[in-house]
Amino acid sequence: MLPKIIRFSPRFYGAAFFLMKLIPARFIIDEAIRSGQLTPGRSTVVETSSGTFGLALAMVCRLKGLRFHMVTDPVVDATLRRRIRDLGGTVDIVSGPALDGPGGVQQARLDRLAAVIANTEGAFCPSQYDNPKNPGAYALLAEQLLTALGPIDCLVGPVGSGGSMCGTARSLRTIVPELRAIGVDTHHSVLFGHEDGKRMVRGLGNSLLPANLDHTVFDEVHWVDSRTSFWATRQLHREHALYMGPTSGPSYLVADWWARHHPDSTIVALLPDEGYRYQETVYNDDWLAENGLTPGPHVESPVAVDAPWDAVVPWASFSWARRTFDEVMAGRPRKEPG
């Protein structure tokens, strides 16, 4: 469950997971069993996911004797659907006009989730987006990093639900209060102030603001587009033989840049999952070409922007400075009507 610690350079490390979401999945399910909210052999776990949290829950539920029902959307990959079903889970794919409404596909999934819970006796929802046990579970990871590496100067990681980065950074700061936390997002994600839109990197970004995303944790935010993210993921494999998923690439890219500019600081990049689910996409040159994602000239460093809404280049950075979302967004230009 805990990651392998990979040393990229003298003080630059990666936390390479088989499946990072097993940490909160197991923690939340174990707590629910202990508290009597779940009864093995009788209860059903119901959650919305399009990726690794759903897989982690399916694995834990199978081992704990619980039923699992995953609400997802049409772009969920066939490999994940097969794995969830092989583990005894139900895959429930939303469709229809609600996908185009406010909040997009993720709101449609939440609406279906509420309906399933209301109609399932003994249903339990882990609620990865707003359950504080999600970030709380990552105290275990912080303990591992501190034991293995000692004080850490900078933590870099992708942001989706907010659980891993917020939970790990907060736990690390109980020992190292000056720790720098750098969140990695992608374009067309609302997490740090972009307009919602189509995103190709599964597991990175969001169409809704999760309650577990504590913006005041972050010193800096980077937006990395799909083409650059996929290039970095393949580069991580080429250079370090790490066959990781597509959220690991941009995390490594940003951390490597920061490490080169701060050689005397200890930095850790979170690399959330392995790449075997993505053999037909990220690791498939034909798929990249068909989707207009064939890598162009490599971007060596981010463009520093003055506001999130200016982050339109392939790789942009912004000093979030541990502010709230409302504080940062207060200066956003108003849209002209019509």
Side-chain angles (χ1 to χ4, degrees):
M1 186 173 71
L2 287 173
K4 292 181 180 179
I5 305 300
I6 307 296
R7 190 178 189 183
F8 294 121
S9 63
R11 300 191 67 175
F12 172 26
Y13 300 88
F17 289 85
F18 156 67
L19 187 61
M20 185 171 70
K21 295 287 185 152
L22 277 170
I23 292 178
R26 192 169 80 170
F27 185 75
I28 291 169
I29 297 303
D30 283 349
E31 288 288 304
I33 291 172
R34 276 194 288 267
S35 67
Q37 293 175 279
L38 282 172
T39 303
R42 295 175 54 190
S43 300
T44 301
V45 175
V46 184
E47 181 61 294
T48 173
S49 174
S50 61
T52 53
F53 191 59
L55 177 58
L57 284 173
M59 295 169 69
V60 173
C61 286
R62 185 65 175 178
L63 295 173
K64 300 288 184 180
L66 300 160
R67 292 184 292 271
F68 178 56
H69 186 121
M70 183 177 83
V71 176
T72 188
D73 57 72
V75 300
V76 63
D77 61 89
T79 300
L80 180 63
R81 291 199 300 269
R82 284 195 299 271
R83 291 194 67 181
I84 299 294
R85 289 167 178 153
D86 282 350
L87 289 163
T90 298
V91 180
D92 184 352
I93 301 175
V94 300
S95 62
L99 301 182
D100 299 322
V105 68
Q106 285 178 306
Q107 186 59 55
R109 280 165 38 182
L110 290 173
D111 293 342
R112 175 72 62 82
L113 179 70
V116 172
I117 292 171
N119 290 285
T120 304
E121 184 178 357
F124 170 80
C125 181
S127 301
Q128 66 163 320
Y129 295 132
D130 55 20
N131 186 342
K133 289 185 174 65
N134 176 2
Y138 287 94
L140 185 64
L141 173 59
E143 181 181 357
Q144 180 200 16
L145 295 176
L146 289 169
T147 300
L149 305 176
I152 295 165
D153 299 297
C154 183
L155 179 72
V156 177
V159 185
S161 72
S164 58
M165 273 299 292
C166 292
T168 308
R170 280 199 296 253
S171 293
L172 288 173
R173 282 179 180 154
T174 62
I175 305 298
V176 190
E178 64 275 17
L179 170 85
R180 188 168 188 82
I182 301 178
V184 181
D185 196 5
T186 190
H187 302 70
H188 309 300
S189 160
V190 306
L191 293 179
F192 294 95
H194 278 202
E195 296 283 342
D196 185 31
K198 183 179 179 181
R199 298 182 301 278
M200 296 294 289
V201 184
R202 305 299 293 175
L204 187 61
N206 210 311
S207 295
L208 298 169
L209 279 176
N212 276 332
L213 177 56
D214 179 1
H215 291 85
T216 65
V217 163
F218 296 92
D219 297 283
E220 196 172 318
V221 174
H222 288 237
W223 292 268
V224 183
D225 71 2
S226 302
R227 186 192 304 267
T228 308
S229 293
F230 294 148
W231 177 90
T233 302
R234 297 284 292 270
Q235 197 69 5
L236 184 58
H237 185 224
R238 292 187 189 100
E239 292 187 355
H240 301 287
L242 286 174
Y243 198 63
M244 307 302 295
T247 61
S248 297
S251 179
Y252 167 75
L253 177 76
V254 172
D256 180 62
W257 168 80
W258 200 90
R260 284 186 278 110
H261 288 80
H262 302 84
D264 296 326
S265 297
T266 300
I267 181 170
V268 175
L270 301 185
L271 311 175
D273 69 333
E274 293 183 326
Y276 298 99
R277 268 185 61 206
Y278 314 98
Q279 293 181 78
E280 297 305 315
T281 54
V282 180
Y283 291 95
N284 183 333
D285 292 339
D286 292 337
W287 182 88
L288 291 174
E290 289 166 7
N291 288 275
L293 296 168
T294 300
H298 174 48
V299 182
E300 293 289 342
S301 59
V303 174
V305 296
D306 294 326
W309 46 91
D310 295 330
V312 295
V313 295
W315 177 11
S317 65
F318 173 68
S319 176
W320 196 272
R322 304 194 190 186
R323 289 173 287 175
T324 67
F325 184 82
D326 289 341
E327 285 173 333
V328 172
M329 299 306 290
R332 185 171 195 158
R334 293 185 179 181
K335 284 187 176 180
E336 294 297 327

